[in-house]
Structure formats: C-alpha cells, structure tokens
Amino acid sequence: MPPTFDAHISIIRPMINTDTLLAWGASHKKVSESEIIFSEGQAPHFYFQLDSGSVRWVNINDEGKEFIQYLICPGESFGEMAVFDDMPHSASAIANEDSVVLRLAKSTFFQLLEEEPEIHFAFSRLLSQRLRFKFLLLKELAYADSEHRITTLLEYFKQSRKNICEKSNKVMLTRQQIAKMTGLRVETVIRSIRHLSDKGLVHINHGKVYC
Amino acid sequence: MPPTFDAHISIIRPMINTDTLLAWGASHKKVSESEIIFSEGQAPHFYFQLDSGSVRWVNINDEGKEFIQYLICPGESFGEMAVFDDMPHSASAIANEDSVVLRLAKSTFFQLLEEEPEIHFAFSRLLSQRLRFKFLLLKELAYADSEHRITTLLEYFKQSRKNICEKSNKVMLTRQQIAKMTGLRVETVIRSIRHLSDKGLVHINHGKVYC
DNA sequence: GGAATTCTATGACATAGATCACAAAAACTC
DNA sequence: GAGTTTTTGTGATCTATGTCATAGAATTCC
C-alpha cells in the first residue's frame, strides 16, 4: 500500500517519550509493508508504540473485507486495549508501509504506569478519546446516510491529529480507505465524495481527499 | 419506561466500593424515571456511579430518535469518559426507572485514582472493555446484516454482565431497546427476532428477549 | 519505458431494510 | 377495571446502497 496516509508530522507528541521507553527496556522492531505486527485473537504480550511509518488496526471478515478501526501514526500507541483488559486482540495491526515499532513487555508496561501516574492518566485520556470517536461513528453508522458518515470520519481526522502533533499536519485519505473505515463500498464513497466536493464540503488534492 | 432491563444483580462488584466513594465525599442523588442526569454537550464536573436502578447512556438525533450507547446497571460507572479527556459529554445519561446515583467531584475522583492505583487500573480495564465492545459492534454495523447485528449485541450482554456481578443475572431486552442499540428499526428487529427464534438462536421469555 | 497493481469512475440492476399505515396485545395508571 | 401508554405484529411500498461488470487513470515496479 502506498503511503497515502501521509503522516508528515511536524512535532510529534508520543504517548510515552521514546527515550523513556528505551530506558525501560523497550526494543525497536522494523516491520516491512503489509507485515502483521499482531493478529486478531492473539493474547497480548507487548505494549506497542509507532516510532515511524504508519500502521492500520483492522478487522478482516470471512470474505476478506477489511474494516479499519484506526490508522495509527507516529507517536501513537496501539494494541494497548488488549493489554489493559487482558483479552485477545480484537483487531490485527498491519504495517501500511515500512515502519519502526517500539515494543515493551506487558509487565514492564504496567510497572511503568505504576511509577509514572501522569503517563497512566495520559492513557486514560487516550482510551477515552478513542471511545468518544467510536461513540460518534457508531451513532452515525446507525442513523446517518453515506455522506454524513464520510464527513464525520473526515472531521474526526482533522481533530484527532491535533492531539498528537503540535502543528496541524495534512492527512490524505484514498476513497478505498474511507470505505474501509465507514463500512461503505468504494463505489458509494466515490459517488458521495463527488457529490460532497461539488457542494464544496470536501477538499480534493491531487485526487485524494484532504483533511 | 418499565424496568424491562431487569438489573436483578445477585452480587454486585461496583467500580469503586460504595463505602470508599462515600468516605471520599461522594453524595447520593435520587433520580426519577426519565430524569436527565447529564446532557450531551455539557462539561463534565462529576464522576458518576449507579447505586440502584438503571440508566441509559444515549444520543438523541435531530428527529428525536435515540441511539443507546450503553445500558448502565448497578455498580457501573458512566460519564467517566468525559472526565478523563476533559471534553463535553458525548451522550446523555437518562434514568430508565427511579434510581440512585453516586456522584463525586471530578478533582476528588482524580485524587482518589492517584492514591489508589489499583482503582485506576480497574478504570483502564473498563475503558478497554467498552472500547472492545465498540470495535465489535462497529465492525458488525459496517458489514453484517440485521440478524448478525442483533446476535452480536445479545452476545455482548451475556458477556458483559459477568464483569460486574458474581452470579450470572438475567437481562431482558425489549425489541425497542435492541432497535435503539443496533440502529435498526423496531419493525426490522421484530421480524429478525422472529426469524432468529424460529431457528432457535434466540430465547424468548414472556415475550421479551432473554440473554 | 512497459507491465503490473491499485485506484477512480460510471452505468444497470438487485435487495435489505426503512417507511408508512394500521391494529392487536400487554403493561401500567388511577 | 376502564383508560392510557407502550410494545408487538404484519402487510404494502420505497429507496439508498450494495453488487456486478467494465474501463480508464494513476502509481509502483523491474
């Protein structure tokens, strides 16, 4: 997959400072495009944080169709949900491009949180923000039409990036990615985006949806 | 609304022990049926925990249609999402029946978490479990048909009650409630439930869906 | 620079589920 | 226990979105 999810982050605010993570014994791990970092159903052994590149956190159904739960950009953590509730991963993490991941053993992660309550509070905030986004998207999926679903998703992207980088960075999404995040089909997304862009509600840049 | 969401809990495991909460200065608050505890859009000032009764955590759209994000039963917390990320409540909490709520000031709640790391970890676990349920439901809403959405929801109810009470308690859901939690219309839920019950995939008790 | 992928695009058609319009049954109210 | 409200139930339509087929444009890859 091409790096259309352009994570050109200016000043990243990682969940846990990289040096801190390394001091606690985290290890760097290079992953190449399409490589699976962990799979749905696996028991969680590590806390993961993206150092560089981009990762998608997805469910894949019986027919092989992907539903993207989150696109992870540098500084963000992923898979911590399963670490906290000690249940199998409920989605797989797959590298969108060649990336570098920081990995910390689960037990060490808990020790770190215990010693650094501020970091623990940062995770409570992160989980709450993610939950908030799910509330929003679920409500849209339940009651809104395709155009509303898309604009809600784009709005989220505009907002969420503010949490992890100082300067607003540009995110470009392909219509295929939007389809995989809203549960709509590519054709529907294409037609809806065309309509939204005619109305000036969505901005297109070199053919890609810009937010 | 009649107490169809029968929270006949045998042995409740509250998020925070009631005595502990009271010792920290929490106050009891009686709310009557249909009373709004907090509204979508309001700033969060309190941590809430249900003592007795039942509460629904809902979004209401422009046409007045409800989407139930969670049904809260005794011992469970609600609204803590907004407390953690310090953003307006993203859904309203409404009493399903006459209930008693425990309320603790936000700043005190944070002090409590700082002094009692185990309780903080319990909240990380709770947020993760709730997020996990949203992952699941979102995937279903995106790709599955009405019958799958319903069975996924019922399955969740079966599971989630285990987290807060020792003995498995019976939950009865009306078709209207299922509609409001899956984004389907009542008529569709009625027809799907009939079909599922014909196939023996769902159990009906005195006309209500049992799980 | 040509081949192979991946994306975008568009038309024709099918269909699950929404909507509307009733009505009966059940539950709750006083 | 008569009246009100809520819930369940069922048929007849309507429509947004999925599905399928096909193709051109844009990228990536040797």
Side-chain angles (χ1 to χ4, degrees):
Chain A
M1 190 178 282
T4 40
F5 172 60
D6 276 345
H8 292 311
I9 315 267
S10 331
I11 302 160
I12 303 164
R13 256 182 275 157
M15 277 308 295
I16 304 178
N17 185 286
T18 308
D19 293 337
T20 309
L21 261 182
L22 294 172
W24 277 80
S27 57
H28 274 101
K29 207 190 157 211
K30 285 189 182 179
V31 287
S32 37
E33 197 196 310
S34 301
E35 192 175 327
I36 297 169
I37 300 159
F38 57 76
S39 292
E40 191 175 343
Q42 276 182 351
H45 298 303
F46 297 98
Y47 162 76
F48 290 97
Q49 188 171 303
L50 185 61
D51 192 46
S52 68
S54 126
V55 165
R56 66 185 188 280
W57 201 359
V58 289
N59 289 120
I60 301 170
N61 74 359
D62 319 328
E63 295 135 42
K65 277 179 188 158
E66 282 191 1
F67 179 72
I68 302 181
Q69 296 276 6
Y70 282 105
L71 283 174
I72 308 296
C73 76
E76 268 191 284
S77 71
F78 57 100
E80 74 296 315
M81 193 170 72
V83 169
F84 278 121
D85 75 356
D86 201 33
M87 295 277 286
H89 284 293
S90 60
S92 308
I94 304 176
N96 274 336
E97 53 182 303
D98 293 354
S99 305
V100 177
V101 163
L102 286 158
R103 210 173 69 164
L104 185 66
K106 187 171 139 174
S107 54
T108 321
F109 175 66
F110 282 132
Q111 279 171 37
L112 194 163
L113 291 189
E114 209 153 350
E115 286 201 19
E116 309 269 6
E118 285 119 73
I119 296 184
H120 196 170
F121 278 106
F123 276 96
S124 301
R125 190 162 56 246
L126 174 85
L127 289 171
S128 294
Q129 286 169 345
R130 290 195 172 160
L131 194 50
R132 180 181 290 279
F133 166 57
K134 293 298 179 191
F135 265 55
L136 190 66
L137 203 56
L138 209 40
K139 183 185 68 171
E140 290 295 306
L141 268 165
Y143 290 131
D145 63 17
S146 59
E147 292 186 19
H148 280 97
R149 288 195 214 181
I150 293 171
T151 48
T152 300
L153 181 78
L154 298 182
E155 193 53 39
Y156 164 74
F157 264 88
K158 221 177 272 179
Q159 293 299 323
S160 76
R161 298 305 122 184
K162 285 182 193 159
N163 298 324
I164 47 161
C165 47
E166 295 291 330
K167 290 179 191 165
S168 71
N169 60 314
K170 289 122 178 73
V171 177
M172 313 285 248
L173 295 172
T174 68
R175 286 150 186 73
Q176 311 248 14
Q177 284 176 319
I178 294 173
K180 287 178 184 177
M181 284 188 277
T182 53
L184 297 164
R185 302 301 129 141
V186 206
E187 299 93 325
T188 307
V189 172
I190 288 168
R191 291 185 243 250
S192 299
I193 293 278
R194 150 68 55 93
H195 195 210
L196 285 168
S197 120
D198 285 352
K199 291 195 283 186
L201 294 171
V202 138
H203 299 283
I204 308 294
N205 211 328
H206 296 101
K208 300 222 167 50
V209 182
Y210 175 93
C211 53
Chain B
M1 189 178 281
T4 40
F5 172 60
D6 277 345
H8 292 312
I9 313 268
S10 330
I11 301 160
I12 303 164
R13 257 181 275 158
M15 276 310 293
I16 304 178
N17 186 286
T18 307
D19 293 337
T20 309
L21 260 181
L22 293 171
W24 277 80
S27 56
H28 273 100
K29 208 189 158 211
K30 284 189 183 177
V31 288
S32 38
E33 196 197 310
S34 301
E35 193 175 328
I36 296 169
I37 300 161
F38 57 76
S39 292
E40 190 175 345
Q42 277 183 352
H45 298 304
F46 298 97
Y47 163 74
F48 290 97
Q49 188 172 302
L50 185 60
D51 191 45
S52 68
S54 127
V55 164
R56 63 185 190 280
W57 201 359
V58 289
N59 289 120
I60 300 171
N61 74 359
D62 319 328
E63 295 137 42
K65 277 179 188 158
E66 283 191 0
F67 180 71
I68 302 180
Q69 295 277 4
Y70 282 105
L71 284 174
I72 308 297
C73 75
E76 268 191 283
S77 70
F78 56 101
E80 74 296 316
M81 193 171 73
V83 169
F84 278 121
D85 74 357
D86 200 35
M87 296 276 286
H89 284 295
S90 60
S92 308
I94 304 176
N96 275 335
E97 54 182 304
D98 293 354
S99 306
V100 177
V101 161
L102 286 159
R103 209 173 71 166
L104 185 66
K106 187 171 138 174
S107 54
T108 321
F109 175 65
F110 282 133
Q111 279 170 37
L112 193 162
L113 291 189
E114 209 153 351
E115 285 200 20
E116 308 270 7
E118 285 120 72
I119 297 185
H120 196 170
F121 277 107
F123 276 96
S124 302
R125 189 163 57 245
L126 174 84
L127 289 170
S128 295
Q129 285 169 346
R130 290 195 170 160
L131 195 50
R132 179 183 291 278
F133 167 56
K134 293 297 180 192
F135 264 54
L136 190 66
L137 203 56
L138 211 39
K139 183 185 69 171
E140 289 295 306
L141 268 166
Y143 289 131
D145 63 17
S146 58
E147 291 184 19
H148 280 96
R149 289 195 213 181
I150 293 171
T151 48
T152 300
L153 180 79
L154 298 182
E155 193 52 40
Y156 164 74
F157 264 87
K158 222 175 275 179
Q159 292 299 323
S160 76
R161 299 305 124 181
K162 284 183 196 159
N163 298 323
I164 48 161
C165 46
E166 296 291 328
K167 289 181 192 162
S168 71
N169 61 313
K170 287 118 179 77
V171 178
M172 312 286 247
L173 295 172
T174 68
R175 286 150 186 76
Q176 312 246 16
Q177 286 175 320
I178 294 174
K180 287 177 183 175
M181 286 188 275
T182 52
L184 297 165
R185 301 302 126 143
V186 206
E187 300 92 324
T188 308
V189 172
I190 288 169
R191 291 185 243 251
S192 300
I193 294 277
R194 151 68 54 94
H195 196 210
L196 286 168
S197 121
D198 284 352
K199 290 195 284 185
L201 294 171
V202 139
H203 299 284
I204 309 294
N205 211 327
H206 295 101
K208 302 226 164 47
V209 182
Y210 176 93
C211 53

